Amino acid sequence: MTLQLTGIHHLTAITANARENLQFYTQVLGLRLVKKTVNQDDTSAYHLFYADGLASPGSDLTFFDWPVGHERRGTHSVSRTGLRVASLTSLEWWKARLAEHKVKAGGIRDVAGRASLDFEDGEGQRFRLTVDDAGAPSNPWDRSTVPAEHQIKGLGPITLSVPDIRNTQAVLVQVMNMTEISTYPNPDGEGDVHVFSMGDGGPAAELHVAVEPNLPAAHQGAGAVHHVAFRAPDVEALHAWTERLRGFRLPSSGEVERFYFRSLYFREPNGILFEIATDGPGFAVDEPLETLGESLSLPPFLEPRRAQIEARLKPLA
């Protein structure tokens, strides 16, 4: 049986203002803060996780809070993050909501055969709301500021920008077992966008790769994406991916225990950081599902340093 990724697991971006970030993603976008923790490699920085009502894999949009300048946009980067909604009616509702909150947004248009709406947060983080026509489940949060029928269902598709697709294409298809299913004209610039599908496919399991050789190289900062993660169902599957990367002599981090999931990191040929992460054990492993994100959570290896870590963090309220 062919080893398969089953979709987008999470996407981690960068903010320089955790307080405003929290307000925008919970109050304007209506997402649930499901985990308030710290960057495990830099405990001076918050790591905030937003997701659906059940903190489902595939709905996690996460942020590192770092005191950095703005991103310099360009290629060699994740250039746009897809967020899925249920219907064209929901997309029209979101167009009105974004206008009401004075959020920078475009108009509703067709992208790759799906109705879509582009917008940016206050730091220039780029998003695309996309109608999910694949019938993926929805897990609304009953305390969201957004009505259940219009809530964001999860991530996908995710768009990368590369100057040359050939080596990236080889890794996606030959190493990661994705299937290239189509191309479409780049709605944001020149050239084509190549669509790669994972598992059962659909917008929750697509990676779109825009070929943009005339752009400068991006430089990460506030408003940028740090990495994108793909779903492996369990630890056994992650072990198999670790061995597969080793067999292709593709350098990786080796497996890293993140407590809420187990991860494997590597860079594709254009330098974009990829992660493969397990679906479990999930965010309810250390606090009740009903009260996720209401207090600072630390993995067991950081718990002895709680007082020191809390003293260095800025208040979010």
Side-chain angles (χ1 to χ4, degrees):
M1 184 175 178
T2 303
L3 188 62
Q4 287 285 319
L5 299 164
T6 56
I8 307 298
H9 185 282
H10 69 267
L11 179 134
T12 296
I14 301 168
T15 179
N17 192 326
R19 186 178 297 180
E20 289 186 6
N21 183 273
L22 177 65
Q23 192 278 333
F24 181 81
Y25 288 92
T26 59
Q27 299 305 306
V28 180
L29 295 193
L31 296 171
R32 184 182 185 188
L33 178 67
V34 297
K35 192 62 59 178
K36 181 169 61 175
T37 185
V38 295
N39 182 320
Q40 294 180 11
D41 304 311
D42 174 13
T43 59
S44 69
Y46 279 112
H47 193 179
L48 304 177
F49 290 76
Y50 307 103
D52 66 9
L54 296 181
S56 310
S59 70
D60 306 332
L61 178 61
T62 95
F63 287 86
F64 295 144
D65 174 38
W66 284 331
V68 293
H70 282 288
E71 170 198 28
R72 184 181 71 202
R73 291 181 178 178
T75 190
H76 298 281
S77 67
V78 177
S79 57
R80 195 170 291 276
T81 301
L83 302 172
R84 296 175 289 109
V85 295
S87 66
L88 181 58
T89 300
S90 290
L91 208 59
E92 291 167 343
W93 184 92
W94 276 103
K95 187 176 188 301
R97 181 172 180 82
L98 295 175
E100 174 191 351
H101 288 275
K102 297 179 171 57
V103 175
K104 183 179 179 181
I108 295 174
R109 59 179 176 169
D110 182 285
V111 178
R114 301 185 183 106
S116 301
L117 173 64
D118 292 354
F119 71 97
E120 298 181 9
D121 75 2
E123 294 180 298
Q125 190 72 233
R126 288 171 284 178
F127 293 98
R128 175 167 292 147
L129 289 166
T130 296
V131 173
D132 181 354
D133 55 3
S138 178
N139 299 299
W141 183 39
D142 59 7
R143 287 191 279 157
S144 175
T145 57
V146 173
E149 66 271 22
H150 299 316
Q151 286 181 33
I152 291 166
K153 297 173 68 174
L155 294 166
I158 305 299
T159 303
L160 314 183
S161 172
V162 301
D164 187 327
I165 198 174
R166 289 172 292 183
N167 290 335
T168 296
Q169 187 177 44
V171 167
L172 297 181
V173 174
Q174 296 173 28
V175 180
M176 300 177 72
N177 287 330
M178 296 187 192
T179 302
E180 185 170 358
I181 59 173
S182 64
T183 61
Y184 62 92
N186 187 348
D188 298 322
E190 298 178 346
D192 288 333
V193 181
H194 298 244
V195 179
F196 297 85
S197 180
M198 295 164 266
D200 293 332
E206 285 180 4
L207 192 66
H208 294 196
V209 185
V211 184
E212 300 179 303
N214 296 318
L215 293 182
H219 181 75
Q220 285 190 343
V225 171
H226 187 268
H227 66 269
V228 59
F230 306 99
R231 293 177 66 178
D234 50 39
V235 172
E236 288 71 23
L238 190 69
H239 293 338
W241 282 110
T242 303
E243 291 304 312
R244 186 168 179 83
L245 294 186
R246 186 176 293 126
F248 278 91
R249 298 184 179 178
L250 194 61
S252 80
S253 63
E255 292 179 28
V256 180
E257 179 55 67
R258 294 301 191 195
F259 188 51
Y260 308 112
F261 42 82
R262 193 168 178 86
S263 297
L264 173 68
Y265 300 86
F266 61 100
R267 292 190 184 274
E268 57 79 46
N270 277 288
I272 300 167
L273 184 60
F274 283 177
E275 176 184 354
I276 300 175
T278 58
D279 280 354
F283 295 116
V285 69
D286 61 348
E287 56 183 342
L289 181 65
E290 295 75 20
T291 57
L292 289 178
E294 293 182 8
S295 59
L296 183 71
S297 294
L298 297 175
F301 76 92
L302 290 178
E303 191 60 49
R305 297 168 52 198
R306 173 176 286 273
Q308 173 193 355
I309 289 169
E310 287 184 332
R312 297 174 66 192
L313 293 173
K314 297 169 291 187
L316 287 177

